[in-house]
Amino acid sequence: MKTLLINGAWQAAADGRVIDVENPATGEVFTRLSRATAIEVDAAVRAARHAYDNAWGRLSAAERGRLLSRVAERIQACAEEIAQVESRDTGKPLHLARKDIAVLARYFEFYGAAADKHHGEIIPYLNDFSVQVVREPLGVTAHIIPWNYPSQMFGRTVCPALAAGNAIVVKPSEEACQSVLLIARLMQEAGLPDGAVNIVTGYGNEAGAALASHPDINLVTFTGSPAVGTQIQMAAAPNNVPCVLELGGKSPQIVFDDADLDKAVPTIVAAIVQNTGQTCSAGSRLLVQKTVYDEVVGRVAEAIARIRAGMPEAQVDCGPIITRAQFGRINAFLQRIKDSGLPLIAQGQVAEVPAGGFFVAPMLFGPVPRDHELAHAEAFGPLLAAMPFEDEQDAIALANATEYGLVAAIWSENGARQQRMARAVVAGQVYINCYGAGGGVELPFGGRKKSGYGREKGFDALDEFSTTKTVVHRFGFE
Ligand code: NAP
Ligand code: MG
């Protein structure tokens, strides 16, 4: 299998090693990937540097934008094919994969149009000086992306980096990267110069570690677990290479006694079952004002009980857990929950599925004690923790009582309360009477606390993947 894209050529690993890829719905191996090591990573970084110094680096912002726009059109034309590949590779239901591919196309469309609209400024300084703050690309950027939304993650990180003028090396997750390989081919067909985008498939602790520690990259961006985020920073630190880190969350859905429950309940349920809970911004904590706790939890329980997990091609709400390793982790978490005696309030259904598949039914637990593991640790599965609170002050304390700070939702009809809560909750995004896990290409996104730092999406990502140069010109007077 030739799955390494280096300088425009698809290659196998020099030592010929491969990685088996399993179908999460059946547990069977369905394809293989080339297993990159430091040798191929080095070649990819060199190729990116060469492209940056030559053909790619010479393109104007408008030309870069035009190329991204052309890719957007190709993605739209091949959307069904990419969705099918994504669904089989990740196990997510086809209807969800289709939405992901629509978002992928939006990334190319948005950053294609934005490439030539991101610019510097002129600063008024002393009278005989002209000061320009010029926006420049960083050079070669490294992108390590996870398996939960492979195509969306690719679009989210790659598009702004390219729009800003960087040449890039991507290390997708070996667990799910078939869509990424397909999109890379579409980018080649659209006329992207060789070396502008390089892909190294491989293991995190091998190819990923070699990429993050490479001395000739100028930024590394990573989405995944806080523990690996720390390793990435340590690998990049000797070279003083900056990082952009998106490290997950334990995001609260905060429901007050004046909330419109007809609107809130379906959104709350969707925010935890989407992608079988394997979403960094999953709404995994249901915080409810005591006076309406029983009513809210009762209605959410009814809705959870109706959720169906099953084969990706069936009309179901959830697919399987994406990998054998994650399935094992979630089952171990569930065993600890059971051992602790925490009450299970409701559980969804698993339809008829093959014996080897990695299926977990969505579950609602509560009332979860504030010091319980489920109250603060990310499960990365469809497990929702219900917890009561007294009043606004208590809601703020509870909402901020985890190490994470990614997303939060406030459900209330009181405008002043909505604003007070939005300001007080520590998070990169706050939703009022709505929730946006994924999507929102235009909306700056990123973490606080252990959820990471740096901003992706929107124009903020263009700032993140570029730097400024201040040019001071003394022209004097006649
Ligand atoms: P992970 O260990 O954080 O891995 C994410 C990506 O980083 C993968 O491509 C991985 O490759 C790579 N990687 C691993 N170790 C690396 C290293 N030392 N240097 C460079 N890259 C490295 O995530 P996971 O093991 O797949 O999942 C574990 C937990 O991470 C989940 O339970 C969840 O809590 C969290 N997670 C969060 C997000 C998110 O969107 N924020 C996404 C995925 C996972 P390998 O696949 O080869 O390890
Ligand atoms: Mg993995």
Side-chain angles (χ1 to χ4, degrees):
M1 269 291 176
K2 293 183 174 176
T3 63
L4 310 178
L5 178 62
I6 300 173
N7 205 23
W10 290 93
Q11 309 175 13
D15 60 11
R17 286 194 294 178
V18 294
I19 298 170
D20 288 340
V21 185
E22 286 177 341
N23 178 340
T26 62
E28 285 161 12
V29 173
F30 74 98
T31 188
R32 292 189 170 77
L33 296 168
S34 309
R35 176 174 162 182
T37 62
I39 294 170
E40 289 83 18
V41 168
D42 186 52
V45 173
R46 280 169 200 267
R49 180 63 62 190
H50 184 78
Y52 179 73
D53 289 339
N54 293 281
W56 175 244
R58 281 199 290 269
L59 292 189
S60 68
E63 288 168 317
R64 294 196 301 268
R66 212 171 282 137
L67 259 170
L68 293 177
S69 303
R70 274 214 294 276
V71 180
E73 284 167 17
R74 294 189 96 83
I75 290 170
Q76 275 152 351
C78 305
E80 184 58 24
E81 184 189 354
I82 309 173
Q84 300 264 358
V85 166
E86 187 82 320
S87 174
R88 184 181 58 171
D89 198 20
T90 61
K92 68 179 74 191
L94 194 51
H95 61 93
L96 273 185
R98 288 188 181 123
K99 282 190 193 154
D100 286 4
I101 305 313
V103 177
L104 165 74
R106 266 297 286 151
Y107 277 114
F108 279 88
E109 191 179 58
F110 180 88
Y111 288 106
D116 59 355
K117 294 161 194 72
H118 183 240
H119 42 65
E121 50 188 2
I122 303 281
I123 294 184
Y125 187 50
L126 303 174
N127 278 344
D128 52 349
F129 284 78
S130 166
V131 178
Q132 308 155 15
V133 181
V134 182
R135 272 277 161 198
E136 293 188 350
L138 294 161
V140 174
T141 54
H143 305 251
I144 301 174
I145 58 176
W147 37 258
N148 50 349
Y149 291 86
S151 50
Q152 271 205 49
M153 290 286 176
F154 184 82
R156 180 172 112 187
T157 185
V158 160
C159 293
L162 289 175
N166 304 283
I168 68 178
V169 179
V170 183
K171 205 301 269 178
S173 172
E174 80 289 351
E175 313 278 17
C177 62
Q178 300 302 316
S179 59
V180 166
L181 302 177
L182 186 50
I183 302 156
R185 286 187 193 278
L186 298 179
M187 293 174 85
Q188 285 185 293
E189 285 168 23
L192 200 79
D194 291 346
V197 173
N198 304 276
I199 315 267
V200 283
T201 52
Y203 289 119
N205 56 9
E206 202 168 41
L211 184 56
S213 62
H214 199 288
D216 198 33
I217 59 166
N218 302 109
L219 174 132
V220 54
T221 159
F222 169 79
T223 299
S225 60
V228 176
T230 303
Q231 289 175 29
I232 299 284
Q233 292 173 93
M234 287 165 68
N239 303 314
N240 294 335
V241 164
C243 304
V244 173
L245 301 173
E246 199 270 89
L247 308 175
K250 188 78 183 178
S251 299
Q253 299 272 354
I254 309 166
V255 186
F256 285 94
D257 59 8
D258 63 339
D260 180 337
L261 295 186
D262 291 337
K263 287 187 194 136
V265 171
T267 307
I268 288 167
V269 173
I272 183 65
V273 304
Q274 175 182 320
N275 211 36
T276 322
Q278 304 167 109
T279 305
C280 47
S281 50
S284 53
R285 288 188 296 152
L286 175 59
L287 314 185
V288 189
Q289 196 156 20
K290 236 176 201 161
T291 41
V292 289
Y293 180 83
D294 288 341
E295 183 189 0
V296 173
V297 168
R299 288 178 66 166
V300 171
E302 275 172 33
I304 292 264
R306 284 196 298 271
I307 297 292
R308 287 173 55 245
M311 293 298 277
E313 56 279 5
Q315 267 303 323
V316 289
D317 307 292
C318 297
I321 296 298
I322 203 158
T323 66
R324 192 177 292 278
Q326 280 303 113
F327 186 54
R329 259 182 223 149
I330 291 169
N331 281 324
F333 201 146
L334 281 171
Q335 188 59 49
R336 292 196 297 279
I337 290 173
K338 203 173 164 196
D339 293 346
S340 73
L342 192 65
L344 171 69
I345 303 172
Q347 179 169 343
Q349 309 144 40
V350 178
E352 226 165 85
V353 292
F358 312 143
F359 291 89
V360 171
M363 293 178 207
L364 171 65
F365 294 94
V368 178
R370 294 187 180 197
D371 59 354
H372 193 283
E373 183 184 3
L374 188 64
H376 54 84
E378 190 181 39
F380 228 64
L383 314 183
L384 181 59
M387 305 168 73
F389 66 82
E390 294 285 343
D391 52 18
E392 253 180 64
Q393 284 314 310
D394 193 32
I396 293 165
L398 188 54
N400 291 337
T402 74
E403 291 185 320
Y404 292 103
L406 193 59
V407 175
I410 291 145
W411 295 94
S412 166
E413 295 296 303
N414 178 330
R417 166 182 282 164
Q418 293 165 354
Q419 285 301 319
R420 283 193 299 270
M421 289 298 298
R423 304 287 162 105
V425 171
V426 181
Q429 285 191 338
V430 176
Y431 290 91
I432 299 167
N433 293 340
C434 58
Y435 200 74
V441 165
E442 310 83 347
L443 315 178
F445 175 77
R448 301 272 295 271
K449 304 196 286 184
K450 281 201 178 166
S451 290
Y453 54 81
R455 290 293 175 264
E456 295 182 284
K457 304 190 179 183
F459 273 78
D460 285 37
L462 293 170
D463 287 346
E464 210 66 70
F465 291 118
S466 63
T467 188
T468 59
K469 181 182 282 165
T470 307
V471 180
V472 182
H473 178 191
R474 180 169 189 175
F475 53 85
F477 288 109
E478 286 254 332

